[in-house]
Amino acid sequence: MSKQARKPLKWVGSAKRDLDAMPDDVKDLFGHAIDVAQAGGKHQDAKVLAGFGSAGVLEVVEDDRGNTYRAVYTIRFAGWVYVLHCFQKKSKSGIKTPKADMDLIQARLKAAKRDFETWQAKHGARR
């Protein structure tokens, strides 16, 4: 009878504010993908973001009216979902994530790791 516990969600930096500024259809898709991650699943449009060494950093991409939007989140830290970055891709050439965005994702991933380690220290290693 017990329902599986949903993973708590944490927003890093301006990710929530940035998502809130996106078009409604984009917000709906990204919100659903994050919801699926919280329930322990992987959204059909989520893919591993290259450059982070494991499947723990995922990205969802959505096009809307000629613009491309991305949401990056991690499930790397047991029992948690951290949303690292939500942004509109500005580059008109190629699909590669711009270096400035990759650097920001890396910095926010480190911040999420510190946050998770602080939480673990306060609450013990088990959830």
Side-chain angles (χ1 to χ4, degrees):
M1 281 209 177
S2 68
K3 192 175 168 185
Q4 180 183 0
R6 288 175 54 78
K7 296 177 183 180
L9 179 67
K10 287 214 174 177
W11 299 88
V12 183
S14 62
K16 175 76 167 104
R17 188 170 56 248
D18 296 337
L19 177 65
D20 287 342
M22 292 181 178
D24 287 343
D25 288 346
V26 174
K27 286 193 287 192
D28 288 348
L29 175 72
F30 291 171
H32 180 63
I34 292 165
D35 188 58
V36 169
Q38 283 185 272
K42 181 177 176 250
H43 189 273
Q44 65 185 15
D45 294 335
K47 64 180 183 179
V48 174
L49 181 60
F52 292 93
S54 80
V57 178
L58 300 161
E59 157 181 71
V60 180
V61 179
E62 178 69 349
D63 292 321
D64 183 76
R65 297 181 189 148
N67 296 307
T68 299
Y69 299 88
R70 296 181 181 205
V72 178
Y73 61 94
T74 186
I75 54 171
R76 186 177 284 180
F77 308 111
W80 290 86
V81 176
Y82 283 86
V83 181
L84 303 173
H85 192 28
C86 296
F87 63 104
Q88 178 180 346
K89 185 174 178 290
K90 304 282 194 221
S91 171
K92 299 299 180 195
S93 61
I95 60 169
K96 188 174 176 184
T97 304
K99 182 179 181 338
D101 289 301
M102 291 297 282
D103 290 347
L104 183 59
I105 293 164
Q106 187 66 50
R108 289 182 176 177
L109 184 60
K110 287 179 184 173
K113 183 175 192 267
R114 285 191 303 271
D115 180 81
F116 179 70
E117 288 170 348
T118 299
W119 180 88
Q120 274 189 316
K122 286 182 184 173
H123 298 91
R126 292 185 351 189
R127 187 157 151 53

